[in-house]
Amino acid sequence: MNTKTEFVTIVGRANAGKSSLLNALVGEKIAVISAKPQTTRTRITGIVTENETQYVFMDTPGVQRAKNKLGEHMNKTVKDSVTDVDLILMVVDASRNINDIERSIISSFRKNDNVILIINKIDLISDKSEIAAKIAEFSSLYDFNTVIPISVKENDGIDIVWEETKKYAVEGPHYFSDDSFTDQPERVLAAEIVREKILNLMHDEVPHGIAVTTEQMSERVDKSGEDILDISVTIFCERDSHKGMIIGKKGAMLQKIGSMARDDLERFFEIKVNLQCWVKVKADWRNNEALIRSFGLSNNTSDK
């Protein structure tokens, strides 16, 4: 049997729904979802293998105006991700006007790129003529292969995205095992689950300056014979005041973060989880190249 493969990059501005689309296409929650910017910070790969064809989806950070070294890394990740792929899915928010960031993304496409425009969040639009106007506006900037209005939230149009995506597979080997659904190490997935809870629970000024790393992950059997997965994570923030907010009064916030994360971790790993969370301060880490790399937030070994 001749095998096929397809590399697909998902791009767009922050909060357009890229990570939600990735999760929907893969059928697993492998990308953190939050209404806050900078939710996705690195390139996350989702993998689907159907019969002879393997689809490799790459979710990228939302393109933004870089305010620090971390933002520069994120934007470079997007730029690198749109080269040498079989298909680009550009995701836009139907409820928001086109902006300079989206125009910049479109200007980076080459004439021979296969690009599908995904207009997400159509459930927020009551007047459907607005969707037609948005299609016309974006289509005047680039000759998209096709345009698909969808709502990831309502699971509306995901099947159409899949059918269109399948047209761009080419003959080639499978680069991942057929039962893989991501290339993200389990330690990274565990840390991201904890970070998602912080994003969704904390005030806006705190999550932007947070990184989470998994320090330890190991299985054991307790005295009753039950399998336990021990996970220890460290939450890094930039200020002592933020550390206090993350911990909360008498540890209440940290306990809530840990409890919600533990529930997700147990569902994901299908095992009882003992989660330990620690909080440390690393001042201005988002402008520290060494720390950005040590936190795993750079996809490149030599950034220019």
Side-chain angles (χ1 to χ4, degrees), residues 27 87 179 245 271:
L87 177 65
D179 60 353
M245 294 168 70
I271 188 176

Side-chain angles (χ1 to χ4, degrees), residues 82-253:
V82 298
T83 59
D84 299 323
V85 295
D86 302 300
L87 177 65
I88 299 169
L89 301 179
M90 180 173 180
V91 183
V92 303
D93 185 336
S95 66
R96 301 169 73 183
N97 293 327
I98 187 171
N99 67 357
D100 290 340
I101 289 174
E102 288 169 324
R103 291 189 176 90
S104 176
I105 294 172
I106 291 172
S107 68
S108 71
F109 299 153
R110 299 165 300 186
K111 289 184 178 180
N112 61 339
D113 284 337
N114 293 317
V115 187
I116 293 177
L117 178 65
I118 307 293
I119 300 183
N120 187 29
K121 305 186 182 181
I122 59 172
D123 54 293
L124 301 179
I125 306 300
S126 56
D127 183 357
K128 299 309 177 186
S129 65
E130 294 181 21
I131 298 175
K134 194 165 293 290
I135 291 173
E137 184 178 19
F138 276 94
S139 297
S140 69
L141 300 176
Y142 189 81
D143 185 18
F144 295 98
N145 293 47
T146 188
V147 180
I148 309 174
I150 70 168
S151 169
V152 177
K153 181 180 179 181
E154 302 294 332
N155 196 31
D156 180 8
I158 303 301
D159 55 337
I160 300 174
V161 176
W162 251 122
E163 290 306 311
E164 287 297 320
T165 296
K166 291 178 179 179
K167 297 178 180 179
Y168 300 91
V170 297
E171 287 193 9
H174 292 181
Y175 292 90
F176 302 92
S177 62
D178 287 358
D179 60 353
S180 298
F181 60 85
T182 183
D183 68 341
Q184 297 292 294
E186 290 183 342
R187 286 173 171 261
V188 173
L189 290 168
E192 285 293 273
I193 286 173
V194 174
R195 188 169 70 91
E196 179 186 52
K197 305 313 170 192
I198 301 170
L199 285 168
N200 291 328
L201 288 171
M202 300 297 295
H203 297 297
D204 288 344
E205 70 271 17
V206 177
H208 297 306
I210 282 176
V212 182
T213 62
T214 301
E215 308 296 339
Q216 183 262 342
M217 178 182 285
S218 60
E219 284 190 45
R220 61 181 169 86
V221 179
D222 67 9
K223 294 179 180 179
S224 64
E226 184 175 18
D227 292 329
I228 305 291
L229 179 60
D230 290 316
I231 301 175
S232 176
V233 303
T234 299
I235 301 165
F236 293 95
C237 57
E238 292 184 309
R239 301 177 184 175
D240 288 324
S241 60
H242 288 175
K243 179 179 179 179
M245 294 168 70
I246 296 167
I247 294 173
K249 187 176 182 180
K250 296 183 179 180
M253 178 57 72

